[in-house]
């Protein structure tokens, strides 16, 4: 193998330098403070754990791609976490199984994806979020979404859009009021993903067309969805959506996309994506889901996750630098006082050090900070 | 509006069929768009809120997937090749009809039985889609990626088979190749960036407009 050039990192991994690394820490802190103010307590699961513990924790139909290693100590397969939600589910189902429900937990940390995509080239992401274990009611959803909006606002995101989705609606309808030939379910879902009305009609799934046409701003979407006669399954979901929208009144633009299942592998009746002004991608997502206990019991939960990297890249979390150059021979009392006033002091160690060279914004003149 | 919507249009065969559809939707590019000598890549339209960019077909999908363009027109061949999760393809525009096919030299085809393949070497512009298609049939496809002139590959011994777009079949015939299998039928689609679809209210009426123009049973 050829020698690795100095500084080269594996694909999808990177160093964060000043001031980005600090912005990342500041953003994480503001989000954690925001969810803590709602009574969510922080847990900190490990970076890697037994693969068995990570997989199958949340009820889902899809297999997950994990970065696995064989642990030389236990000789079992370990997996690096691609998502902290499943770990929080494990904690809730084991060590904190005895705690009174609802259980309110928060987390923030790095996760590692097996593969980067062209659209999201990072493999290591900073994830932060909150999970409400023991309820997936409208009240729970309203709390989670209000908190997500608060957290994004605290991070500096403006013009927040929440796209609500009903991840289990299509399977529910296919099993009941709008039956689909089992052989066609996959094709219909693929066309629903593309929102290709023509192809859905061509597959003979005309009953699903109004769902595609309903996607859009909440008022219009609700009106169109209410017009669809599909029995109680749809009715109860729409009533839930209406309740959530009421709780969020005016705090964000709300859209409804009843057939979206993009990345909602384990969500049940409700899913949502979060968007912000001038940000090309999704900022976070969440919804209701089911945690599987070891004894086969199932427990409902609701939560949201934010990915901080797009926020950092958009320049959020930055703070004005107040770096003050402290020349040789300055009284240590003076430097202490300036630090206590919020200055970041950068002390000269030799005569050769200069304010400019050390990236300072201010210098001391007659004992007072002056801009450079 | 602060920023105009960017509409990505492919160069080449789809362009001529797409322009009348755009005109019907009320989008008429500036005169400079038709000027062969123009080196511009971005053009205004009669609608100050919409700009057009003219790029390669594969790049239409890339621009839209990344949200650099909000709308685009592209063949379903390109969508199959990339399967970008951030693209919606809400309207089949019913233009740019052709098919993606496997072709091989006529003398090979005479004795070839597709059902007995276990491994094939194929020159194609669509390595991902080709690999996926054959995998589903239990065949391992080793793809040599070419960007054009696939038809010459068998004659020069690069690969014996190719996967390429076929419309009339004239190019295949001229190169002494015959079609032995069809991967899928292709038409051009209106595509929309997922985030733009959800967050930019002015996108939806445009999509509905195209849906009406194409008409049929899918009209809202």
């Amino acid at each position: 193998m050829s020698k690795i050039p100095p500084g080269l990192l594996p694909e999808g991994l990177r160093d964060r330098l000043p001031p980005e690394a600090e912005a990342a820490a500041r953003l994480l802190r503001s989000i954690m403070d925001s969810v803590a103010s709602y009574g969510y307590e922080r847990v900190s699961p490990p970076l890697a754990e037994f693969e068995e513990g990570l997989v199958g924790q949340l009820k889902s139909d899809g297999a997950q791609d994990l970065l696995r290693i064989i642990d030389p100590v236990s000789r079992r397969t370990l997996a690096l976490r691609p998502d902290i939600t499943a770990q929080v589910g494990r904690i809730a189902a084991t060590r904190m199984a005895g705690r009174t429900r609802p259980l309110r937990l928060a987390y923030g940390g790095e996760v590692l994806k097996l593969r980067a995509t062209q659209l999201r080239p990072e493999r290591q992401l900073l994830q932060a979020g909150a999970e409400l274990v023991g309820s997936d009611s409208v009240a729970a959803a309203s709390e989670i979404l209000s908190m997500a909006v608060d957290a994004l606002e605290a991070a500096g995101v403006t013009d927040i859009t929440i796209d609500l989705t009903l991840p289990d609606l299509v399977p529910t309808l296919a099993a009941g009021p709008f039956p689909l030939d089992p052989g066609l379910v996959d094709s219909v879902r693929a066309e629903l993903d593309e929102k290709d009305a023509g192809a859905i009609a061509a597959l003979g799934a005309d009953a699903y067309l109004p769902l595609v046409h309903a996607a859009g701003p909440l008022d219009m979407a609700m009106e169109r969805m209410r017009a669809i006669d599909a029995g109680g399954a749809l009715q109860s979901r729409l009533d839930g959506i209406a309740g959530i929208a009421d709780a969020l009144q005016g705090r964000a633009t709300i859209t409804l996309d009843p057939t979206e299942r993009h990345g909602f592998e384990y969500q049940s009746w409700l899913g949502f994506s979060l968007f912000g002004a001038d940000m090309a991608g999704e900022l976070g997502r969440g919804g209701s889901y089911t945690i599987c206990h070891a004894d086969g019991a199932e427990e409902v939960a609701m939560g949201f996750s934010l990915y901080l990297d797009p926020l950092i890249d958009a320049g959020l979390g930055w703070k004005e630098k107040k770096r003050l150059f402290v020349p040789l021979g300055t009284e240590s009392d003076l430097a202490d006082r300036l630090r206590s006033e919020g200055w970041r002091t950068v002390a000269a160690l030799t005569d050769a050090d200069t304010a400019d060279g050390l990236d300072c914004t201010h210098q001391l003149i007659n004992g007072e900070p002056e801009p450079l | 509006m602060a920023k105009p919507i960017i509409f990505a249009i492919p160069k080449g065969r789809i362009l001529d069929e797409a322009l009348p559809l755009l005109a019907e939707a009320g989008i008429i590019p500036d005169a400079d768009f038709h000027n062969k000598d123009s080196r511009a890549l971005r053009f205004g339209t009669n609608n100050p809120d919409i700009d057009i960019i003219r790029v390669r077909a594969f790049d239409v999908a890339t621009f839209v997937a990344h949200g650099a363009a909000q709308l685009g027109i592209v063949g379903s061949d390109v969508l199959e090749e990339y399967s970008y999760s951030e693209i919606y393809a809400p309207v089949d525009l019913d233009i740019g009809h052709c098919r993606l096919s496997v072709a091989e030299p006529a003398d090979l085809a005479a004795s070839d039985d597709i059902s007995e393949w276990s491994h094939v070497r194929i020159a194609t512009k669509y390595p991902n889609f080709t690999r996926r298609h054959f995998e589903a049939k239990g065949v391992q496809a080793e793809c040599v990626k070419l960007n054009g002139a696939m038809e010459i590959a068998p004659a020069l011994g690069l690969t014996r088979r190719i996967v390429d777009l076929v419309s009339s079949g004239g190019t295949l015939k001229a190169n002494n190749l015959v079609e032995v299998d069809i991967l899928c039928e292709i038409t051009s689609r209106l595509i929309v960036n997922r985030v733009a679809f959800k967050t930019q209210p002015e996108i939806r009426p445009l999509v509905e407009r195209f849906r009406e123009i194409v008409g049929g049973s899918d009209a809202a």
Side-chain angles (χ1 to χ4, degrees), chain A:
Chain A
M1 280 250 286
S2 61
K3 196 171 172 297
I4 295 169
L8 180 71
L9 295 171
E11 195 182 315
L13 303 176
R14 64 168 154 187
D15 292 325
R16 289 246 185 233
L17 301 184
E20 280 188 357
E22 217 175 276
R26 196 172 289 122
L27 284 170
L28 180 58
R29 179 63 194 264
S30 76
I31 290 166
M32 289 293 93
D33 284 351
S34 180
V35 297
S37 74
Y38 280 81
Y40 284 68
E41 295 180 294
R42 193 159 174 181
V43 290
S44 179
L47 268 178
E49 53 178 277
F50 294 124
E51 184 190 4
E52 281 176 51
L54 271 181
V55 184
Q57 202 64 61
L58 305 181
K59 197 174 171 180
S60 89
D61 50 359
Q64 243 186 337
D65 274 351
L66 296 169
L67 192 64
R68 299 174 177 85
I69 41 172
I70 303 290
D71 177 17
V73 180
S74 65
R75 277 176 289 168
R76 288 177 185 260
T77 308
L78 302 190
L80 287 156
R81 63 183 183 195
D83 173 24
I84 302 178
T85 312
Q87 294 187 304
V88 174
R90 174 180 56 71
I91 290 175
T94 55
R95 272 175 264 291
M96 296 183 86
R99 301 277 186 108
T100 310
R101 276 14 185 191
L103 190 58
R104 291 180 164 92
L105 299 175
Y107 55 88
E110 311 280 357
V111 295
L112 197 69
K113 307 273 181 197
L114 178 64
R115 271 189 207 92
T117 63
Q118 203 189 348
L119 291 173
R120 189 161 246 178
E122 309 91 355
R123 285 161 82 193
Q124 181 177 325
L125 298 165
L126 185 52
Q127 183 189 16
E131 309 295 330
L132 177 59
V133 181
S135 174
D136 66 351
S137 65
V138 172
S142 301
E143 175 169 313
I144 288 290
L145 276 164
S146 301
M147 216 164 39
V149 171
D150 270 7
L152 283 175
E153 279 176 351
V157 177
T158 54
D159 290 344
I160 298 165
T161 296
I162 301 174
D163 186 47
L164 299 174
T165 69
L166 302 168
D168 71 355
L169 180 65
V170 173
T172 306
L173 293 180
F178 298 166
L180 274 180
D181 179 342
L184 279 181
V185 174
D186 285 345
S187 322
V188 171
R189 295 209 72 161
E191 299 303 346
L192 284 171
D193 286 348
E194 299 211 328
K195 305 208 181 301
D196 186 342
I200 293 162
L203 285 167
D206 292 58
Y208 290 84
L209 280 178
L211 297 177
V212 176
H213 295 309
L218 187 75
D219 293 343
M220 181 217 82
M222 284 300 272
E223 194 184 312
R224 292 188 178 184
M225 291 295 285
R226 293 278 191 205
I228 301 169
D229 179 18
L234 185 57
Q235 211 53 46
S236 64
R237 285 172 175 76
L238 292 180
D239 291 343
I241 296 283
I244 294 164
D246 277 347
L248 287 168
Q249 207 71 69
R251 300 198 57 209
T253 305
I254 302 178
T255 56
L256 173 64
D257 188 341
T259 64
E260 175 79 271
R261 58 162 186 166
H262 175 97
F264 291 99
E265 292 91 4
Y266 54 72
Q267 275 77 9
S268 51
W269 79 273
L270 180 73
F272 56 85
S273 309
L274 302 161
F275 304 98
D278 298 324
M279 307 247 186
E282 191 177 281
L283 304 178
R285 56 173 46 211
S288 64
Y289 58 96
T290 303
I291 298 171
C292 304
H293 286 247
D295 60 3
E298 294 185 346
E299 186 172 27
V300 292
M302 176 83 76
F304 79 95
S305 283
L306 301 178
Y307 290 98
L308 274 56
D309 299 77
L311 305 183
I312 302 163
D313 294 341
L316 298 180
W318 292 40
K319 204 172 140 185
E320 195 197 346
K321 267 202 293 194
K322 284 174 74 183
R323 273 168 77 86
L324 174 63
F325 182 71
V326 178
L328 275 180
T330 306
E331 294 282 330
S332 67
D333 286 357
L334 176 60
D336 285 344
R337 179 172 66 81
L338 290 163
R339 274 193 292 274
S340 72
E341 287 169 4
W343 289 97
R344 299 177 168 201
T345 61
V346 180
L349 299 179
T350 69
D351 282 332
D353 294 343
T354 63
D356 198 33
L358 294 174
D359 197 23
C360 292
T361 56
H362 292 71
Q363 60 186 337
L364 268 186
I365 293 178
N366 300 326
E368 288 302 319
E370 298 286 344
L372 273 188

Side-chain angles (χ1 to χ4, degrees), chain B residues 79-96:
Chain B
L79 297 178
E80 292 286 2
E81 173 64 12
Y82 284 136
S83 35
Y84 276 127
S85 57
E86 293 299 305
I87 292 181
Y88 292 137
V91 185
D92 184 341
L93 296 172
D94 201 27
I95 58 172

Side-chain angles (χ1 to χ4, degrees), chain B residues 3-83:
Chain B
K3 275 196 218 159
I5 293 173
I6 307 289
F7 203 134
I9 312 282
K11 297 172 175 175
R13 70 185 175 92
I14 296 171
L15 183 63
D16 296 335
E17 287 184 83
L19 285 174
L21 278 178
L22 283 174
E24 224 180 310
I27 304 170
I28 297 165
D30 290 349
D32 197 32
F33 187 79
H34 303 287
N35 177 1
K36 293 259 186 293
D37 295 327
S38 172
R39 294 181 155 258
L41 297 171
R42 178 173 173 167
F43 306 89
T45 66
N46 58 331
N47 182 341
D49 297 335
I50 301 177
D51 277 2
I52 286 181
I53 59 168
R54 190 169 56 191
V55 294
R56 285 168 188 274
F58 276 71
D59 296 341
V60 168
T62 307
F63 274 93
V64 175
H66 286 261
Q70 287 75 44
L71 287 164
I73 291 178
V74 74
S76 49
D77 50 327
V78 175
L79 297 178
E80 292 286 2
E81 173 64 12
Y82 284 136
S83 35

